[in-house]
Amino acid sequence: MTSTVLFKSLSGFFLVVSLFVTAEARAQTVLLTCVGAEVTEFEPGLTNTAKPTHVSAIGTHGCAGLPLNLPSAVATTEADGIIGCGIGQATSTIQIKWSDNTVSVVTGTTVVNLKPAGENVIVLTGTVVSGRFLGATVLRTLTLLNTDPLGCFTAGGVTDVAGPVTLVVAKLF
C-alpha cells in the first residue's frame, strides 16, 4: 500500500515537472518586421579601394508582428571586414534591445552593394545566437545615403552615413 501511494505521488510529481519542462523548452514564435533609421560610422573612412574596415552603427525601429508586445527596438552593430565605397563584405554582431528590455544577439554576414543613385544598400543575414528568439533568422536591409558623394575619392573617405533600415526576425514553430 505504501509503495503504491509513493509510486502514484512520484508519478504525479514527474508528470507536473515534465509539463513545466516542456513549456519552458518550447521556443517562442517570432515574426517581426521593424522599420526605422540608422546612423553608421566607418573606421577608416570608406574609399574606392576596399580595405579592412570597422563598422559601428545604431538604429531605432518601430516593430509590428508577433509577439504583439514588442512595439520597438534599438539595434547596435559592430562589424569588421573588407569594405570600400560600393562593395564589401563583413562579419557582423548585432545586439537588439527590445522594448521590454530583453536582448537578442545576432551574428551574420553583411554585404555592401552600391546602387546607381549613390546609396549603399547593406544586407545582413544572420541568426540569433543568444538571448531572446534564439535560433531565429534575421534579415536586415539598410539603404545608407551618402551625403558626401565625392568622399569616396578623398584620402579620409566617407566616415558616416545614415538612412532607413528594415529588420525582419522570424522563427515559426
Side-chain angles (χ1 to χ4, degrees), residues 13-56:
F13 172 75
F14 285 120
L15 176 63
V16 171
V17 168
S18 70
L19 290 174
F20 282 112
V21 169
T22 302
E24 284 296 316
R26 272 196 321 247
Q28 185 178 18
T29 295
V30 59
L31 184 54
L32 285 169
T33 299
C34 305
V35 294
E38 179 166 304
V39 175
T40 303
E41 296 178 347
F42 304 102
E43 179 60 41
L46 300 183
T47 65
N48 288 318
T49 304
K51 60 186 173 288
T53 305
H54 179 76
V55 180
S56 296

Side-chain angles (χ1 to χ4, degrees), residues 96-116:
I96 305 168
K97 185 173 183 184
W98 301 102
S99 53
D100 66 354
N101 288 319
T102 59
V103 174
S104 298
V105 177
V106 179
T107 60
T109 302
T110 298
V111 177
V112 179
N113 188 336
L114 183 65
K115 295 299 179 192

Side-chain angles (χ1 to χ4, degrees), residues 73-154:
V74 174
T76 55
T77 304
E78 298 294 327
D80 289 289
I82 306 297
I83 305 172
C85 286
I87 193 162
Q89 187 167 335
T91 301
S92 304
T93 301
I94 302 173
Q95 181 176 338
I96 305 168
K97 185 173 183 184
W98 301 102
S99 53
D100 66 354
N101 288 319
T102 59
V103 174
S104 298
V105 177
V106 179
T107 60
T109 302
T110 298
V111 177
V112 179
N113 188 336
L114 183 65
K115 295 299 179 192
E119 71 276 18
N120 278 304
V121 175
I122 300 172
V123 177
L124 174 127
T125 53
T127 303
V128 177
V129 295
S130 68
R132 188 162 194 181
F133 308 128
L134 182 66
T137 300
V138 175
L139 176 63
R140 192 154 174 248
T141 306
L142 300 94
T143 304
L144 300 176
L145 310 173
N146 183 357
T147 57
D148 182 14
L150 299 178
C152 294
F153 298 95
T154 66

